[in-house]
Amino acid sequence: MPATYNQCLLYNQLVMPYLDAWMWQKELQTQRVKNPDLNDVLILLEHPPVYTLGKGASSEFIKFDLNESSHEVHRIERGGEITYHCPGQLVGYPILNLARHNQDLHWYLRQLEEVLIRVLAVYKLQGKRIPSLTGVWLEDRKVAAIGIKVSRWITMHGFSLNVCPDMKGFERIVPCGISDKSVASLAEWIPGITCGEVKHHIARCFGEVFDLELIEQSLSGIHQS
């Protein structure tokens, strides 16, 4: 087994248009389907305001006319319902070869939750899981969403953590199709928190949970916004 199997390439991007990140993920996944020996990857970034719908998402959770949206709307191949991304929300896209980790999608979802629960613990916040639902909650309010797509055990899409976003965009949808629980951001518990500081904690906790050494990569020439 090549020594690089315990290494993960880390791309810390600032803000990237959703379509650029989507294309980038698909390229990385396709490359690893063809050549499973390539390194795992973790992309951390923020998006301009955008709504995304999972492949089976229902229109009943959308409170606006899709043809007259002031923000981009994209139906994508991940699981789950509609969600919202915007600056101040950290998005993580792991491109992992689960054949090196555990070929079990439920295990993978729980591991992503564990990364985020550990990040919250850094701030002495107790993130929780809710049985039968995917994501992480603080005081019964959802602060992190997860939606994935896996092809031949290579992952794409991933998780989002509300750090300090403008939450108004969530008012126009039923986030993740969960009508009886509201969404929240970490800034409500930790005023002044920034995505910049949280990124470092996500990278460290991700490495711990997946037993990977993260190697930060240069962004020069790579899908810069």
Side-chain angles (χ1 to χ4, degrees):
M1 182 179 291
T4 54
Y5 272 20
N6 69 337
Q7 293 185 342
C8 178
L9 308 181
L10 172 64
Y11 290 97
N12 262 323
Q13 175 64 283
L14 295 178
V15 178
M16 179 184 289
Y18 188 84
L19 289 180
D20 288 353
W22 189 16
M23 182 189 310
W24 188 12
Q25 289 183 76
K26 288 193 281 190
E27 289 172 357
L28 292 170
Q29 185 188 52
T30 298
Q31 290 167 1
R32 282 150 182 79
V33 166
K34 292 179 179 177
N35 180 5
D37 288 332
L38 293 174
N39 286 106
D40 287 339
V41 173
L42 174 63
I43 302 168
L44 294 176
L45 46 67
E46 300 168 59
H47 287 307
V50 59
Y51 292 98
T52 68
L53 296 86
K55 57 186 178 183
S58 171
S59 60
E60 69 180 285
F61 300 123
I62 303 169
K63 302 177 182 178
F64 61 91
D65 185 338
L66 288 174
N67 297 317
E68 298 180 4
S69 175
S70 57
H71 300 322
E72 291 183 29
V73 180
H74 301 291
R75 187 176 288 275
I76 57 177
E77 66 276 70
R78 65 161 171 79
E81 295 289 343
I82 188 167
T83 193
Y84 176 64
H85 302 301
C86 65
Q89 180 196 75
L90 267 179
V91 180
Y93 295 128
I95 316 295
L96 302 186
N97 182 349
L98 293 183
R100 300 177 196 163
H101 300 278
N102 189 341
Q103 290 174 270
D104 182 323
L105 299 187
H106 293 289
W107 173 88
Y108 179 54
L109 292 170
R110 302 295 81 76
Q111 295 301 96
L112 292 179
E113 290 169 348
E114 179 63 22
V115 171
L116 298 166
I117 287 170
R118 291 190 186 194
V119 170
L120 298 185
V122 171
Y123 296 96
K124 296 182 170 50
L125 296 173
Q126 187 174 4
K128 295 183 178 180
R129 297 178 175 90
I130 293 181
S132 80
L133 297 176
T134 299
V136 177
W137 278 258
L138 273 175
E139 298 178 10
D140 215 32
R141 300 176 67 199
K142 193 170 188 178
V143 294
I146 296 172
I148 63 170
K149 161 72 175 177
V150 178
S151 179
R152 297 190 183 179
W153 297 110
I154 309 296
T155 69
M156 65 178 286
H157 297 297
F159 59 85
S160 60
L161 176 64
N162 296 331
V163 178
C164 54
D166 180 344
M167 300 293 288
K168 290 180 181 177
F170 287 101
E171 296 173 1
R172 305 177 70 209
I173 62 173
V174 178
C176 304
I178 302 172
S179 59
D180 62 342
K181 298 187 188 311
S182 61
V183 292
S185 73
L186 298 189
E188 295 176 47
W189 286 266
I190 310 166
I193 194 171
T194 66
C195 286
E197 64 179 274
V198 175
K199 271 187 183 182
H200 297 294
H201 298 310
I202 288 181
R204 178 179 57 79
C205 294
F206 186 89
E208 290 174 358
V209 168
F210 287 98
D211 193 22
L212 289 167
E213 177 190 3
L214 271 63
I215 310 296
E216 190 148 2
Q217 302 296 296
S218 168
L219 293 170
S220 178
I222 299 179
H223 296 283
Q224 295 282 355
S225 61

